[in-house]
Amino acid sequence: MCVMASDLARAAATEMAGWDYVGQHTGIEADGDRVVTHMFECLQPGYVGWRWAVTVARASRSKLVTVSEVVLLPGPGALLAPEWVPWRDRVLPGDLGVGDLLPAQPDDERLVPVVASEGDDGLQDWPSVDEPSLPGLPGQPEAGQVRVLSAIGRDDTAERWYTGAHGPDTALTRSAPAQCATCGFLVRLGGPLGAVFGVCANAYAPEDGRVVSFDHGCGAHSEATGGPGPERTAPPIIDELGYDLVDQPGVSVEETVFENLDHA
């Protein structure tokens, strides 16, 4: 009886969506004993391939079929929205604007907690003197820091900087007269990253204020030679053969010409 209740199911779908948005009967799915779901084509704009699913049921030893639920479900070829991605995974470099906050997660592998000696109010050097030296750690914490860059964060940063626009594999570097390692405007970084990177301090360089690798380079190298010399001013050219007719205040050009002819 539930299988034959397509008219009841259509009426329920029409009551939910309206006459204009319920299409043809597309199939039946048996969900259990005396429980059947009728499928109807959805004609609502924006829901291509979706179906109205109307579940009907009949109680044991009863001849009355009732509607359990009416829902809109996607079909095999339904037009679906892209899979939702958390905002943290969608953020790209440069997306952060004024007033935006992007706190690091407590388990961020790029950071490690600072170790403080027991009984001291301030943070001590990390690792502390009672612990063995840990190789590969990026450096010492500053006052007020709770976490510092981990070895994973350091390696990730080094790879990003080195393979980016301020590393060695750029057109600017290939045309440079020398590398940044020999430039007087290079300010070296501290810690392990300082073995490969520095900050450009040349106001006329395209990388001013940016972290560059030692084997990067540009045309503003401090020891570059062969640049343009002082500009020479060309001597003025004076035309001593021709003349121009100009108007004088209160005197027309014709009067001036006739006066010159009378004196000639």
Side-chain angles (χ1 to χ4, degrees):
M1 298 180 65
C2 293
V3 174
M4 303 299 296
S6 60
D7 293 340
L8 175 65
R10 175 179 289 277
T14 301
E15 182 180 357
M16 174 69 71
W19 285 98
D20 297 335
Y21 300 130
V22 179
Q24 298 179 355
H25 188 271
T26 59
I28 299 174
E29 294 182 2
D31 300 322
D33 293 339
R34 299 179 298 279
V35 179
V36 173
T37 299
H38 292 264
M39 301 292 182
F40 298 90
E41 181 183 5
C42 177
L43 303 179
Q44 191 167 358
Y47 288 87
V48 178
W50 287 64
R51 301 177 298 182
W52 289 105
V54 182
T55 302
V56 296
R58 179 177 63 88
S60 177
R61 299 180 182 180
S62 173
K63 295 182 180 181
L64 179 64
V65 178
T66 58
V67 176
S68 297
E69 62 178 354
V70 180
V71 295
L72 185 60
L73 299 177
L79 180 64
L80 300 175
E83 183 180 356
W84 184 80
V85 179
W87 68 269
R88 178 172 295 276
D89 299 333
R90 300 195 305 266
V91 175
L92 298 176
D95 288 349
L96 207 63
V98 177
D100 296 336
L101 297 178
L102 185 62
Q105 294 293 332
D107 58 348
D108 195 327
E109 63 180 2
R110 300 171 302 172
L111 299 170
V112 291
V114 174
V115 177
S117 298
E118 185 177 358
D120 291 337
D121 295 334
L123 296 178
Q124 302 298 315
D125 289 344
W126 179 65
S128 63
V129 294
D130 297 332
E131 297 176 345
S133 177
L134 301 179
L137 296 179
Q140 306 297 341
E142 299 293 337
Q145 285 185 301
V146 178
R147 291 184 290 176
V148 294
L149 199 64
S150 67
I152 295 177
R154 177 204 61 197
D155 294 343
D156 179 68
T157 300
E159 181 179 1
R160 184 175 66 254
W161 287 352
Y162 198 77
T163 58
H166 311 305
D169 190 18
T170 64
L172 187 65
T173 300
R174 290 189 289 270
S175 61
Q179 296 181 343
C180 294
T182 58
C183 182
F185 294 106
L186 181 73
V187 179
R188 295 175 179 265
L189 297 179
L193 289 174
V196 184
F197 302 100
V199 178
C200 178
N202 188 347
Y204 299 100
E207 315 293 20
D208 179 42
R210 296 182 173 90
V211 175
V212 295
S213 64
F214 289 167
D215 47 2
H216 185 65
C218 73
H221 193 280
S222 62
E223 312 308 322
T225 58
E231 297 183 359
R232 296 182 179 180
T233 304
I237 300 176
I238 302 176
D239 184 6
E240 299 179 349
L241 300 178
Y243 61 91
D244 297 328
L245 298 178
V246 296
D247 291 336
Q248 297 182 1
V251 181
S252 63
V253 175
E254 292 79 3
E255 294 176 354
T256 304
V257 173
F258 290 143
E259 183 179 353
N260 291 336
L261 291 177
D262 292 339
H263 289 291

